Amino acid sequence: MSETAIKEVRVANGAEAFLEQIRAEGNVRYLFANTGTDHGPLIEALAKSAGVEGPGPQVILSPHELPAVSMAHGYYNITHHPQVVLVHTLPGLANSLGGIINAYSSNVPVFLVSGRTPITEGEVTGGKSRSIHWRQESRDQGSIVREFVKWDFENRSNKNLPTVVPRAFKIAMTEPRGPVYLTLPREWLCESLETTRVITDAFKPPAKVQANTDALEKTADLLLGASDPLIVTKYLGRNPEAVSHLVELAELLSIPVVQPRPTSYMNFPTDHPLYLGTQALKYAKHSDVIFLIDVDVPWTDASREILRPDARVIHLEVDPSFSSIPIWGFHVDHAMAGCSDTSLPVLNAILKRKLKGNAGLSKVCSERRKKIQSEHAAVKKEQDGKIEAAKNDNPIHPLWVSKCISDVMDEKTILVDESTTSPLHEVVELKNPGSYFGTPPAGHLGWGLGAALGAKLAAYDHTVIAAVGDGSYIFGVPTACHFIAQKYGIPFLTVIYNNQAWNASINSVKEFYPSGVAVEARTFPGCDLTPSPRFELTAEACGAYAERVEEPGQLKEAMKRALKVIREEKRQALLNVICQSPI
């Protein structure tokens, strides 16, 4: 360790010592925070370091904890740096849980920090001082989030902070990445200190894992010997640099690529002639070698019988056993533990070596490419036909909303998608890695608005569009999100697919009881979201430009007006698009 990596920094108390450790990480520009009575020492410490010349980090106040966690999630998606969320004891921790579940399922390294209800009853500074401090205390505060974090710890001494804080960051950033949780009792935040030791290179996580070279050699042989190979991926694009490696792999052997719905990232260019859309099982049933890359649930039937008897399944994933999932029974013949962004370049090099001078295989790949290109064109033609048939529907068809969003996107647009049951990912053209982020696999609704705020904060020169269902919008604590956008000048566009219903719940009824009473009577108790609120008024109350759109012919111009506002006036905008109801 270099001599300059260690320094003693003067501090007044534990709160200042904690902030010094956060600053030493080097990439924490913001604290996404919802403060409480446990944060007095931290608020004072932040005030002392505030101002243009202050060392930061800047506090982004979130009036609810779910948007705070979602903002950190969205910010990480763009920067790939771990972010810190500060919440208030037991109530704040409980409110943040949904966001932590989302981050855990998405392998997003959120560093969640909460105060702890004071432990002592006045014996030391920082002890219980309000009536809530007796009834608010839990026996084990960390148990609320423990199942959905990689590590949790309650600080027990300020001398430990130079070890504890870097350890939290390192664990969060070690593959498979994920959230961590630290509790800071108020007594330790108040404790007087003179210095804290800062070790600036203590935050570096271990290097990413590359799959075993022999395993990659075997994978290459299986792919080279396949007559009908298929690649299935769902979140390879969480590492944007992996996208080009996947494109190279697909082109080397003319292998079609599919993304099962819901897809969380831009994994493969949707206009590429080897791309075949989202119906993974449709193509997997006819494939002899299926290469699963960064995918947890390739289809919703785990039985081996749905595939060809001779099919061989290869799987590349950081944790191909999915040890965090209680039951996972998909058949895999050849599993490899490794990161796609480090393993695929090695696999591609092996394939190039084996392909040299193999004219016969090159001819096979050329013929296969022609067949796949034809299928790609057919998939696109079918989708275009559906859009054409729906574009004049009134009430507005969700396909038309998606098409209008796609038409206004450019190379500097980031799409945050929590449209849930509406067909958005299937419609938009995605060409740039890091341009699309979809609903987290755990599906805790309310993620989209906060994630869009975080993404815009991280990529301020980009246009950010949040596409959400009306239910997702309600879950997202919209007043808090619009408040944040106004307070900090974060201009993004919200497009609400407002079908006035819980469509996912309705679809479940239709799946199991297609001829049941609910379907026949078009009565779905607990699923009707009418009368629909005037969501545009919620946004307007926080200074947004907002419109209610009910006519399909008005939608494109409404989007242009809204985008002009966010780009030129630097003000948030919202379109409440009244769509067809499934009821």
Side-chain angles (χ1 to χ4, degrees):
M1 184 179 292
S2 65
E3 186 175 336
T4 57
I6 303 176
K7 61 179 180 178
E8 294 288 332
V9 179
R10 293 193 63 81
V11 295
N13 54 27
E16 292 186 15
F18 171 72
L19 288 178
E20 288 297 337
Q21 300 301 327
I22 293 294
R23 292 183 187 114
E25 196 278 336
N27 293 305
V28 179
R29 185 175 178 185
Y30 300 103
L31 280 182
F32 301 99
N34 186 291
T35 61
T37 60
D38 46 316
H39 292 144
L42 279 172
I43 294 169
E44 175 65 14
L46 287 162
K48 286 175 68 174
S49 65
V52 177
E53 301 300 324
Q58 179 187 347
V59 173
I60 301 293
L61 167 62
S62 175
H64 192 279
E65 291 80 1
L66 177 59
V69 179
S70 299
M71 284 186 73
H73 190 149
Y75 195 92
Y76 168 80
N77 279 343
I78 303 299
T79 64
H80 299 276
H81 296 313
Q83 297 303 306
V84 179
V85 177
L86 182 67
V87 300
H88 163 55
T89 61
L90 192 66
L93 186 62
N95 279 346
S96 69
L97 180 58
I100 291 299
I101 292 172
N102 280 336
Y104 185 65
S105 70
S106 302
N107 298 117
V108 170
V110 172
F111 184 3
L112 179 67
V113 181
S114 81
R116 188 198 190 283
T117 303
I119 301 167
T120 57
E121 295 185 309
E123 296 89 344
V124 298
T125 304
K128 289 179 170 65
S129 61
R130 298 181 180 230
S131 62
I132 59 171
H133 291 158
W134 278 264
R135 297 310 298 265
Q136 198 177 72
E137 187 175 6
S138 66
R139 296 181 181 86
D140 183 4
Q141 188 168 295
S143 65
I144 295 175
V145 296
R146 187 164 297 137
E147 186 171 354
F148 303 104
V149 295
K150 294 180 64 181
W151 171 90
D152 75 285
F153 185 74
E154 180 177 305
N155 187 46
R156 296 158 192 166
S157 167
N158 288 323
K159 300 293 184 183
N160 284 340
L161 287 174
T163 298
V164 170
V165 176
R167 177 166 168 77
F169 279 112
K170 288 175 74 171
I171 292 174
M173 288 293 285
T174 300
E175 296 287 356
R177 295 178 178 180
V180 294
Y181 171 58
L182 175 64
T183 311
L184 296 175
R186 195 169 70 173
E187 287 90 342
W188 304 134
L189 293 175
C190 290
E191 184 187 41
S192 296
L193 291 178
E194 293 184 359
T195 63
T196 188
R197 186 175 58 145
V198 173
I199 308 172
T200 54
D201 64 352
F203 299 84
K204 296 177 184 176
K208 286 191 173 185
V209 178
Q210 179 199 300
N212 178 272
T213 304
D214 289 341
L216 291 172
E217 289 273 357
K218 181 178 179 180
T219 298
D221 290 337
L222 287 169
L223 292 173
L224 288 165
S227 58
D228 292 294
L230 177 71
I231 293 173
V232 183
T233 186
K234 187 175 178 182
Y235 43 81
L236 171 139
R238 65 185 174 190
N239 297 307
E241 58 271 28
V243 175
S244 62
H245 301 311
L246 177 58
V247 171
E248 183 181 26
L249 170 60
E251 291 179 342
L252 277 171
L253 298 181
S254 297
I255 305 176
V257 177
V258 292
Q259 306 176 91
R261 196 178 192 277
T263 296
S264 303
Y265 299 88
M266 185 278 164
N267 304 304
F268 194 83
T270 58
D271 63 342
H272 195 287
L274 293 175
Y275 179 65
L276 294 184
T278 61
Q279 297 186 52
L281 187 55
K282 172 185 175 181
Y283 298 103
K285 286 179 176 179
H286 306 290
S287 300
D288 59 343
V289 174
I290 303 164
F291 193 5
L292 308 178
I293 309 175
D294 288 342
V295 57
D296 49 4
V297 183
W299 34 79
T300 55
D301 186 341
S303 62
R304 180 66 174 82
E305 291 71 24
I306 63 173
L307 304 177
R308 283 172 46 170
D310 64 334
R312 301 295 299 277
V313 180
I314 311 166
H315 198 181
L316 172 63
E317 223 277 347
V318 173
D319 177 16
S321 297
F322 294 103
S323 53
S324 64
I325 299 176
I327 183 167
W328 191 89
F330 292 93
H331 178 83
V332 174
D333 299 289
H334 179 50
M336 299 174 287
C339 300
S340 56
D341 52 333
T342 58
S343 302
L344 288 184
V346 180
L347 174 61
N348 290 341
I350 294 170
L351 286 169
K352 289 176 186 176
R353 169 171 52 82
K354 291 177 179 285
L355 280 168
K356 276 185 180 178
N358 194 332
L361 186 55
S362 295
K363 184 178 179 181
V364 169
C365 291
S366 178
E367 291 299 316
R368 186 159 64 214
R369 185 182 179 96
K370 292 177 184 177
K371 179 182 176 183
I372 299 165
Q373 284 178 323
S374 177
E375 180 66 16
H376 169 83
V379 170
K380 188 175 187 312
K381 183 178 179 180
E382 181 183 4
Q383 186 68 267
D384 289 346
K386 290 179 180 178
I387 295 169
E388 183 65 25
K391 71 177 185 179
N392 294 317
D393 284 4
N394 196 348
I396 299 171
H397 197 289
L399 271 170
W400 182 239
V401 184
S402 300
K403 172 61 175 172
C404 291
I405 291 174
S406 181
D407 286 347
V408 299
M409 291 178 65
D410 59 22
E411 67 213 19
K412 296 196 76 174
T413 299
I414 297 169
L415 181 58
V416 176
D417 176 15
E418 198 179 20
S419 59
T420 56
T421 60
S422 295
L424 179 56
H425 182 267
E426 298 91 328
V427 175
V428 293
E429 284 197 357
L430 299 173
K431 303 175 185 179
N432 302 312
S435 62
Y436 174 88
F437 302 98
T439 304
H444 187 286
L445 292 183
W447 166 85
L449 294 178
L453 283 165
K456 179 64 179 179
L457 201 60
Y460 201 82
D461 61 335
H462 283 61
T463 298
V464 176
I465 300 174
V468 298
D470 52 329
S472 303
Y473 180 78
I474 295 170
F475 265 116
V477 200
T479 301
C481 291
H482 293 309
F483 165 85
I484 295 166
Q486 181 181 34
K487 180 176 177 66
Y488 298 102
I490 308 175
F492 73 107
L493 170 60
T494 302
V495 179
I496 303 175
Y497 288 71
N498 189 349
N499 63 9
Q500 309 99 59
W502 293 125
N503 200 20
S505 301
I506 292 170
N507 286 339
S508 178
V509 178
K510 292 177 178 178
E511 177 186 359
F512 291 105
Y513 307 102
S515 301
V517 173
V519 172
E520 291 295 326
R522 298 186 68 83
T523 300
F524 299 90
C527 302
D528 186 351
L529 290 180
T530 60
S532 181
R534 301 282 301 205
F535 296 127
E536 63 274 18
L537 300 183
T538 302
E540 286 178 354
C542 295
Y545 173 86
E547 289 189 44
R548 179 184 177 94
V549 184
E550 300 187 60
E551 300 291 333
Q554 299 173 349
L555 185 53
K556 282 194 173 184
E557 291 304 314
M559 285 195 178
K560 290 178 183 178
R561 288 190 293 272
L563 288 171
K564 184 177 181 181
V565 167
I566 68 171
R567 289 167 177 164
E568 296 181 8
E569 298 181 26
K570 306 301 181 185
R571 184 160 59 104
Q572 62 177 314
L574 178 143
L575 297 178
N576 181 13
V577 184
I578 308 305
C579 298
Q580 297 175 6
S581 173
I583 297 179

